[in-house]
Amino acid sequence: MGDSSDSVSVDMETISVAGKEHLVKTGRGYVSVAVFGDQDKPALITYPDLALNYMSCFQGVFYCPEAFSLLLHNFCIYHICPPGHELGAAVMSLDDPVLSVDDLADQIAEVLDYFRLGKVMCMGVTAGAYILTLFAIKYTQRVMGLILVSPLCKAPSWTEWLCNKVMTNLLYFCGMCTLVKELLLLRYFSKEVRGSVEVPESDVVQACRRLLGERQSPNVLRLLEAINERPDITQGLRKLKCRSLIFVGESSPFHSEALHMTSKLDRRFSALVEVQACGSMVTEEQPDAMLIPLEYFLMGFGFYRPSQCNVSPRSPLSPTSISPELFSPESMGLKLKPIKTRFSEEV
């Protein structure tokens, strides 16, 4: 591992006795990386959406017992937090560099260098999916596969740009106020879990709302400005040499963006899973819907579930609800068929 002077490690007892948080020094400032599992195993890196960290963005999928066993059995997990988004983060100094999305992607390469990692599997949500995709385009040889949830690849639409500008002004003048939280929750979740006058919001939304209250608004503002100035990377998608698995909730405001991205990826190596009655953050809203597609996607790399584990009866999925194309030798070996798979809560 890297020089100890560049890293501060603390036990993450609230999550796992095996997990440690490292503060990694890069040429663009410090990055918090929470590491779980055996570091001799292949690496899976995660990157969350705007204003989130791994606790608020990936807890659902990693706390799903079947997904947890599948991923921890095969990988060491490296949760990378955007600058200033880690648990207990202080307000970033004015002396800290203002980073672009390219800088954030380059930071990931420095984190991999610090941990002496070669090729990695990547999992990102929305803004995090964009940054990991940009990283894969810039550092093609360092990515074995992409698992993208409600990803972005185009420059912001006028609607998104305007919404982000409103949030920028609110964060600057009012901090993480109620309206900013509501706008972010609209970004993350479907109306089914956000609730209404008659129906209370779900536990996952309430938990996310509380965690948003812990974010430092100047730090969120910095990341928001970087995301709102992101360039279109559609042309770079053809450069990708890795296989990609894309999840998107049908109620996500970025649903059309995910479909656009899928249409531009090499059809031999990409697959799309649409999840009904779900917003952008499938990892939290319907993590069970990710399990079976993830399992068959990872089989193509030679990764398998521990033999003693079976599919949970809680899962809304069954092998028969998956398109037969996903079971083909191509999809489980050298090639992954481009498919459109829909799951609903009633399955």
Side-chain angles (χ1 to χ4, degrees), residues 168-340:
T168 296
N169 289 330
L170 287 169
L171 285 166
Y172 184 82
F173 290 107
C174 307
M176 185 59 75
C177 60
T178 300
L179 182 53
V180 172
K181 291 179 185 177
E182 291 301 325
L183 290 171
L184 288 170
L185 293 173
L186 281 169
R187 174 189 177 97
Y188 305 148
F189 298 110
S190 69
K191 62 181 180 181
E192 284 79 7
V193 295
R194 290 199 313 273
S196 62
V197 176
E198 297 82 12
V199 181
E201 62 185 18
S202 69
D203 291 343
V204 69
V205 175
Q206 292 179 28
C208 187
R209 185 188 297 276
R210 288 193 299 271
L211 289 167
L212 287 174
E214 299 173 5
R215 298 281 74 79
Q216 299 287 359
S217 53
N219 302 355
V220 176
L221 176 58
R222 283 174 171 242
L223 179 59
L224 177 57
E225 289 179 332
I227 293 301
N228 211 31
E229 295 172 6
R230 69 182 187 270
D232 190 319
I233 56 173
T234 301
Q235 294 303 314
L237 297 177
R238 288 290 178 179
K239 298 178 183 178
L240 295 177
K241 306 297 183 184
C242 61
R243 278 176 286 164
S244 305
L245 177 62
I246 295 177
F247 294 91
V248 64
E250 289 195 330
S251 300
S252 168
F254 307 108
H255 180 260
S256 62
E257 182 102 359
L259 299 184
H260 169 79
M261 183 173 183
T262 304
S263 72
K264 300 302 180 181
L265 287 167
D266 191 325
R267 293 175 178 270
R268 298 171 298 166
F269 307 115
S270 61
L272 171 69
V273 178
E274 293 180 88
V275 184
Q276 292 181 351
C278 188
S280 299
M281 199 155 41
V282 184
T283 52
E284 291 295 311
E285 190 170 342
Q286 291 195 42
D288 282 342
M290 299 179 66
L291 178 60
I292 300 300
L294 268 178
E295 185 167 3
Y296 282 96
F297 178 71
L298 294 177
M299 279 185 183
F301 297 90
F303 299 121
Y304 295 90
R305 180 192 301 279
S307 58
Q308 67 270 27
C309 294
N310 297 312
V311 176
S312 168
R314 295 185 297 104
S315 174
L317 310 179
S318 67
T320 56
S321 68
I322 305 259
S323 166
E325 294 184 55
L326 195 57
F327 289 90
S328 70
E330 286 185 326
S331 69
M332 295 174 60
L334 295 176
K335 298 180 180 179
L336 186 62
K337 284 286 187 180
I339 62 170
K340 182 178 181 180

Side-chain angles (χ1 to χ4, degrees), residues 11-12 22 24 63 88 120 127 163 167 200 205 211 220 231 249 282 287 324 326 330 338-339 345:
D11 288 335
M12 302 289 286
H22 301 260
V24 179
Y63 275 27
V120 297
C163 180
M167 283 198 289
V205 175
L211 289 167
V220 176
V282 184
L326 195 57
E330 286 185 326
I339 62 170
E345 294 175 315

Side-chain angles (χ1 to χ4, degrees), residues 16-36:
S16 167
V17 294
K20 287 192 175 181
E21 187 170 342
H22 301 260
L23 197 58
V24 179
K25 185 179 180 180
T26 74
R28 297 162 180 82
Y30 286 91
V31 179
S32 176
V33 185
V35 181
F36 295 84

